[in-house]
Amino acid sequence: MSSRSSAPEKRPGFFSQIRSLLTFTKDVYPWTPWVLLSILVVGTALGVVAGFLIPPAPLWSIILWGVTGLLFGLLAAMITLTRISTKAMYKKIDGVPGAAGHVLSTGLGRRWVASDTPVGVNPKTQDAVYRVIGRGGVVIVGEGARGRLTRLINDERVKVQRVASGVPVHVLHIGHGEGDVPIGKLASTIKALPKKVDRVTMAAVVKRVDSVSQSVTSLPIPKGIDPMKARAQRPR
């Protein structure tokens, strides 16, 4: 009798992840490697200078401070690469159907209840409406042309207000026009909303809204964002 054993999925190594992240970011910002190299050089140079200035200054002390500066430079370069890669990810998905859902499902944390699946969608234009629930209330996010989103947003607003009376309802539009929220600032804008709802009320609102939500699984959901392709895996 043969036994079947499934080998665990092997994750890419640390340096492989760094290389993938750098390649992904370089496609959008070609100057990224030069910025990272400059940070390493400056960090090492500051360490060497510190070795000269802090007495006593024998050769071993200068080398030790230089290595310390290099390590701090590596840390600063990693932080910089992470931030630049995040901006590159937002730039790549800007204007792509489904981008809002990707950001809402990955960028808000546990204090907000969101999904990458829209609660309303126009199958012809791929305009979509997403819903987020948290301590700041209910946030309705529109992705697409404002004029075409009016009916979808109003329908969702009426549905929410019917089962969650008194809970603040905010409407955000993704875009670059006046009053719009860029995709790169969507998560931070929602997180900055003042807390108006306690945890118990939030949980109740989630259940009530979900109970009256109409299924959109039969509608063509925008498939423009693949999270695995939108950004490279960050090193762990």
Side-chain angles (χ1 to χ4, degrees):
M1 183 176 179
S2 61
S3 60
R4 294 180 298 176
S5 60
S6 57
E9 181 182 356
K10 185 178 180 181
R11 291 185 176 181
F14 177 80
F15 292 103
S16 177
Q17 294 180 46
I18 293 293
R19 184 168 58 253
S20 298
L21 189 61
L22 181 59
T23 301
F24 170 81
T25 308
K26 186 180 176 182
D27 288 341
V28 181
Y29 300 116
W31 41 262
T32 300
W34 298 106
V35 171
L36 301 180
L37 181 61
S38 299
I39 293 175
L40 291 177
V41 172
V42 171
T44 304
L46 290 177
V48 172
V49 171
F52 275 107
L53 296 179
I54 299 177
L59 180 61
W60 65 266
S61 178
I62 297 175
I63 295 176
L64 180 61
W65 277 101
V67 173
T68 302
L70 175 62
L71 294 178
F72 276 104
L74 283 171
L75 178 61
M78 289 294 299
I79 295 174
T80 302
L81 177 59
T82 300
R83 292 182 176 179
I84 297 178
S85 66
T86 300
K87 292 182 179 180
M89 184 267 292
Y90 285 134
K91 188 172 182 179
K92 275 196 171 185
I93 69 177
D94 190 12
V96 179
H102 174 58
V103 173
L104 294 175
S105 62
T106 60
L108 293 180
R110 298 180 179 180
R111 296 185 178 182
W112 293 86
V113 178
S115 172
D116 59 354
T117 303
V119 295
V121 62
N122 186 326
K124 294 183 179 180
T125 62
Q126 287 193 325
D127 296 329
V129 171
Y130 298 83
R131 182 184 63 239
V132 186
I133 303 175
R135 298 288 301 278
V138 180
V139 183
I140 300 174
V141 180
E143 182 183 66
R146 275 180 175 262
R148 298 193 301 259
L149 284 168
T150 302
R151 182 176 179 180
L152 289 174
I153 290 177
N154 288 339
D155 289 345
E156 184 62 24
R157 193 206 309 263
V158 170
K159 180 173 60 180
V160 171
Q161 291 176 339
R162 186 170 64 247
V163 297
S165 178
V167 176
V169 178
H170 311 274
V171 177
L172 301 177
H173 289 86
I174 304 299
H176 299 281
E178 184 178 357
D180 292 343
V181 178
I183 190 67
K185 296 183 178 180
L186 178 58
S188 59
T189 299
I190 294 177
K191 290 180 180 179
L193 293 173
K195 296 180 180 179
K196 299 291 185 179
V197 180
D198 56 50
R199 297 182 184 276
V200 176
T201 304
M202 172 185 164
V205 170
V206 172
K207 292 182 179 179
R208 293 173 186 173
V209 173
D210 286 344
S211 66
V212 298
S213 295
Q214 297 178 356
S215 174
V216 294
T217 55
S218 61
L219 297 178
I221 304 300
K223 299 296 183 181
I225 293 298
D226 182 350
M228 297 302 295
K229 295 180 180 179
R231 61 178 178 182
Q233 187 176 7
R234 294 185 181 181
R236 298 182 179 180

